[in-house]
Amino acid sequence: MLSRYLAKYVDQQQSLGFKFRVQQILLRGYVSFAEECGDRHIRSARVLAWAARESWPRKFGQ
């Protein structure tokens, strides 16, 4: 479910003229993580758990 919503959201942003490349990569990472955990909706606790992971790409945080 989240993957479908993400695809629609990315398409919408790109149709408005935004490149949305980095955002798409990051959002895909979150959606994959959330779906692996069985989530069907965005949950703040899951977002925090995803953001706190040690495998967080350091290049985006610098």
Side-chain angles (χ1 to χ4, degrees), residues 33-60:
F33 180 74
E35 288 181 337
E36 286 174 12
C37 294
D39 293 351
R40 297 182 65 196
H41 303 282
I42 296 172
R43 307 176 72 86
S44 58
R46 189 75 67 212
V47 172
L48 294 173
W50 171 76
R53 296 174 308 149
E54 286 190 37
S55 63
W56 179 252
R58 298 287 181 221
K59 68 178 185 178
F60 292 118

Side-chain angles (χ1 to χ4, degrees), residues 14-34:
Q14 290 175 337
S15 73
L16 293 171
F18 297 103
K19 292 183 181 177
F20 216 70
R21 290 184 186 135
V22 173
Q23 295 89 338
Q24 181 178 1
I25 292 167
L26 294 172
L27 289 170
R28 273 192 200 157
Y30 167 72
V31 166
S32 294
F33 180 74

